[in-house]
């Protein structure tokens, strides 16, 4: 559906050049919700704007819906003409952080705006707008103005407008960043519903890992213009490889704070973080190691969450007993697909730091 190969973009500013996107390659499958996450300045918005040529990259190839919009011809960079790009953009909807609605137009007219240049009759436009407003649950707001809407309702109008021409692709550039938590959840649920109902391919730009966890199938983590880590969401959450990914997930400093608290109540104990993936969640492994290895295990923190329909469990424990028995217990856990990290000792066993 969407292929990016070695895409780069540099802005030439008075203060010097800024390399916003550096040699990025991504592949987004048909019907997939693909998240791109990074801190401010990571290059994620520049990257997504290259997909519909709102920003023209300096190099690399981009293919959308089977059409090459940029490509390398030998050593030369080529792109579609503005005329040909108009047809491609009809298949790419886009929503933004600040909605970009027409303040002096009603909700109906905002949604109808892209349809007025599509050759449709007034009756066809009216029917399509009603269909779209029903899709985003705003049928009772057709005659009101944006100033009378909440932030979440404004974003629903923007989504309806972006879908006016039935695009198979939707680009979302920080679409929930200006919304409160309830509105954010509502918009994310709507995007999931649209993905399923319309088989919509969505690229979602965000700086919030909770957004990625809630709706995305795959994720790419950007830093300094580069994609530094990517994969399916469950794998990235379960086993982050890069320090920036660990910061997004909260696996670094938070673990050390938990360990400090645990040591206060369990002096001399070894503080261990255990991660239970999929089939291991729910197994009575803590009670088993206490009985089998004569190890005292105090649970400091426990949590299980669902990511893409699969459970990911985590327990922080304080373990006390003979060193050999504790080591044997940890090996036993690893053999049952539990990831093990001793917090604060700089020592890791059984997989990637989580």
């Amino acid at each position: 559906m969407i292929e990016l190969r070695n895409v780069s973009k540099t802005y030439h500013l008075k203060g010097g050049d800024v390399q916003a996107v550096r040699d990025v390659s991504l592949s987004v499958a048909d019907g997939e919700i693909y998240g791109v996450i990074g801190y401010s300045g990571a290059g994620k918005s520049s990257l997504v704007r290259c997909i519909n040529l709102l920003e023209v990259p300096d190099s690399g190839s981009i293919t959308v819906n089977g059409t090459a919009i940029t490509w390398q011809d030998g050593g030369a960079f080529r792109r579609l003409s503005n005329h040909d790009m108009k047809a491609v953009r009809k298949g790419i909807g886009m929503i933004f952080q600040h909605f970009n609605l027409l303040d002096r137009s009603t909700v109906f007219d905002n949604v109808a705006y892209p349809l007025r240049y599509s050759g449709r009759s007034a009756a066809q436009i009216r029917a399509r707008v009603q269909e779209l407003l029903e899709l985003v649950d705003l049928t009772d707001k057709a005659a009101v103005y944006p100033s009378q809407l909440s932030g979440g309702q404004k974003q629903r109008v923007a989504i309806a407008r972006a879908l006016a021409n039935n695009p198979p692709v939707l680009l979302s550039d920080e679409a929930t960043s200006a919304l409160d938590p309830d509105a954010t959840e509502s918009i994310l649920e709507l995007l999931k519903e649209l993905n399923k109902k319309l088989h919509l391919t969505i690229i979602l730009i965000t700086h919030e890992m909770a957004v990625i966890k809630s709706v995305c199938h795959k994720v790419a983590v950007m830093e300094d213009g580069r994609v530094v880590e990517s994969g399916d969401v469950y794998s990235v959450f379960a086993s982050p490889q890069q320090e920036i990914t660990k910061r997004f997930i909260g696996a670094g400093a938070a673990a050390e704070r938990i360990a400090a608290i645990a040591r206060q109540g369990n002096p001399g104990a070894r503080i261990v973080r255990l991660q239970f993936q999929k089939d291991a969640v729910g197994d009575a492994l803590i009670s088993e190691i206490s009985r089998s290895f004569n190890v005292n295990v105090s649970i400091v923190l426990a949590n299980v969450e669902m990511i893409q329909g699969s459970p990911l469990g985590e327990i922080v424990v304080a373990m006390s007993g003979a060193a050999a028995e504790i080591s044997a217990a940890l090996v036993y856990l690893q053999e049952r697909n539990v990831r093990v990290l001793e917090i604060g000792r700089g020592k890791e066993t059984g997989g990637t730091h989580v």
Side-chain angles (χ1 to χ4, degrees):
M1 174 59 75
I2 301 172
E3 292 279 348
L4 284 74
R5 289 288 174 264
N6 309 114
V7 174
S8 295
K9 171 66 180 178
T10 298
Y11 295 102
H12 304 286
L13 308 176
K14 289 183 178 179
D17 291 349
V18 176
Q19 290 183 281
V21 180
R22 304 172 187 245
D23 198 34
V24 168
S25 296
L26 288 178
S27 183
V28 183
D30 184 27
E32 200 166 63
I33 304 179
Y34 199 112
V36 180
I37 190 169
Y39 291 115
S40 178
K44 55 191 186 297
S45 290
S46 293
L47 178 68
V48 79
R49 290 169 67 88
C50 285
I51 293 173
N52 58 4
L53 292 193
L54 289 181
E55 297 288 352
V56 179
D58 303 313
S59 60
S61 62
I62 301 173
T63 301
V64 181
N65 298 330
T67 300
I69 63 173
T70 72
W71 62 94
Q72 295 295 143
D73 183 7
F77 172 73
R78 308 293 186 192
R79 54 155 293 186
L80 279 185
S81 66
N82 290 336
H83 178 270
D84 291 338
M85 194 61 206
K86 287 181 181 179
V88 175
R89 286 197 180 109
K90 289 182 179 179
I92 306 173
M94 190 162 187
I95 52 176
F96 304 88
Q97 179 178 354
H98 297 296
F99 323 124
N100 291 1
L101 300 180
L102 304 172
D103 292 335
R104 297 185 180 183
S105 297
T106 63
V107 166
F108 182 97
D109 288 331
N110 266 280
V111 177
Y113 182 78
L115 296 170
R116 301 197 188 283
Y117 305 94
S118 64
R120 304 191 193 199
S121 68
Q124 289 173 325
I125 291 174
R126 184 164 55 253
R128 178 59 178 159
V129 171
Q130 291 298 332
E131 179 185 358
L132 289 162
L133 291 180
E134 183 176 348
L135 190 65
V136 300
D137 198 24
L138 287 178
T139 53
D140 60 334
K141 302 296 183 182
V144 306
Y145 290 85
S147 61
Q148 299 170 276
L149 301 175
S150 68
Q153 289 171 330
K154 290 177 182 178
Q155 196 57 278
R156 286 173 177 267
V157 176
I159 291 171
R161 183 182 60 186
L163 298 178
N165 287 307
N166 288 306
V169 172
L170 179 66
L171 308 179
S172 171
D173 189 6
E174 298 278 11
T176 61
S177 295
L179 305 179
D180 61 46
D182 287 343
T184 293
E185 183 178 354
S186 173
I187 292 300
L188 294 178
E189 286 299 319
L190 175 60
L191 291 177
K192 284 197 290 186
E193 180 183 345
L194 294 173
N195 168 252
K196 292 178 180 178
K197 184 179 294 186
L198 306 178
H199 197 65
L200 195 63
T201 301
I202 301 173
I203 295 184
L204 193 153
I205 303 299
T206 185
H207 61 271
E208 301 170 281
M209 207 62 174
V211 171
I212 298 292
K213 181 174 63 176
S214 176
V215 301
C216 295
H217 304 120
K218 292 184 180 177
V219 60
V221 182
M222 290 192 70
E223 183 178 33
D224 194 26
R226 297 183 175 89
V227 170
V228 296
E229 187 166 356
S230 63
D232 69 88
V233 171
Y234 190 96
S235 296
V236 170
F237 263 82
S239 183
Q241 301 299 304
Q242 301 297 321
E243 286 303 318
I244 185 172
T245 313
K246 294 172 185 176
R247 292 203 301 273
F248 273 121
I249 295 172
E256 291 300 331
R257 289 194 297 269
I258 293 167
I261 294 171
R263 288 193 187 94
Q264 291 178 3
N266 302 273
R270 290 165 69 172
I271 311 303
V272 182
R273 189 176 184 180
L274 307 174
Q275 185 188 79
F276 299 75
Q277 297 185 36
K278 298 183 180 179
D279 293 341
V281 174
D283 290 348
L285 294 176
I286 298 300
S287 58
E288 285 182 26
I289 61 173
S290 294
R291 292 193 304 267
S292 301
F293 298 94
N294 195 28
V295 173
N296 292 321
V297 182
S298 298
I299 297 177
V300 179
L301 177 71
N303 180 59
V304 176
E305 58 184 337
M306 298 297 292
I307 299 176
Q308 290 300 310
S310 297
L312 180 64
E314 182 177 282
I315 301 177
V316 176
V317 298
M319 302 180 70
S320 57
E325 292 291 332
I326 293 176
S327 296
L330 295 180
V331 170
Y332 178 85
L333 291 171
Q334 293 171 64
E335 290 173 347
R336 281 146 185 82
N337 299 317
V338 177
R339 292 182 182 272
V340 176
L341 171 67
E342 295 190 51
I343 304 174
R345 292 167 60 108
K347 179 182 178 182
E348 179 187 347
T349 53
T352 306
H353 173 54
V354 296

